[in-house]
Amino acid sequence: MAIENQAAPAQEQQQESTSFFSGLMEFFVPTAHAEAPEESEEPAEEGGDEPAEEEEEEEEEEPEDPAPAIREECEQKQCAEHVHHFKHCQEKVEAGNGYPGEDCVEEFFHVLHCVDACAAPTLFKKLA
């Protein structure tokens, strides 16, 4: 019986600590519960799918994002020199001719900076 008496407080302590941590987690990460759909008292009509189809037709299509095309154009025309340096660096590193630990992050950032500077005015004109 002594073993059973010692096991019971250990279980209670574990449950208390579990509930403490569960409560703490619930405080920081709340749980959302879905509400049950309300049941209407009216009988369902056979053509119940028609309003859903009409809603789908009424939705407007989102316009295509012009940013990728503008950025690609800038990359090929105005930033070609930076892209060339980046590709050369990549080839050198992949061939094992670079210094130990070399990566082409600096060249990559030069390409991104150039593309952003080139594309921004055009993009903002299209947004206005």
Side-chain angles (χ1 to χ4, degrees):
M1 280 194 218
I3 297 173
E4 291 175 7
N5 290 339
Q6 291 175 356
Q11 287 176 346
E12 290 176 10
Q13 185 180 14
Q14 184 180 7
Q15 288 175 348
E16 287 176 11
S17 64
T18 303
S19 64
F20 171 74
F21 289 116
S22 297
L24 187 64
M25 285 300 296
E26 288 177 7
F27 178 76
F28 288 108
V29 185
T31 304
H33 299 281
E35 294 180 8
E38 295 180 18
E39 295 181 19
S40 61
E41 295 179 11
E42 300 174 10
E45 297 178 13
E46 291 180 12
D49 292 336
E50 291 175 14
E53 291 176 10
E54 290 175 10
E55 288 178 12
E56 290 176 9
E57 291 174 7
E58 291 176 6
E59 292 180 15
E60 295 181 20
E61 293 182 21
E62 292 187 26
E64 186 177 331
D65 185 14
I70 293 171
R71 292 178 64 84
E72 186 175 333
E73 183 180 333
C74 286
E75 186 178 309
Q76 292 173 354
K77 292 182 179 178
Q78 291 185 356
C79 302
E81 182 179 345
H82 294 289
V83 172
H84 172 73
H85 287 295
F86 175 66
K87 287 182 180 178
H88 176 27
C89 178
Q90 274 187 317
E91 290 170 2
K92 182 174 75 170
V93 169
E94 288 174 1
N97 298 332
Y99 61 86
E102 180 178 10
D103 55 12
C104 301
V105 173
E106 184 177 353
E107 289 81 358
F108 179 68
F109 283 134
H110 287 295
V111 172
L112 288 181
H113 180 74
C114 179
V115 170
D116 287 341
C118 169
T122 309
L123 286 173
F124 284 117
K125 285 179 187 175
K126 290 197 178 225
L127 289 175

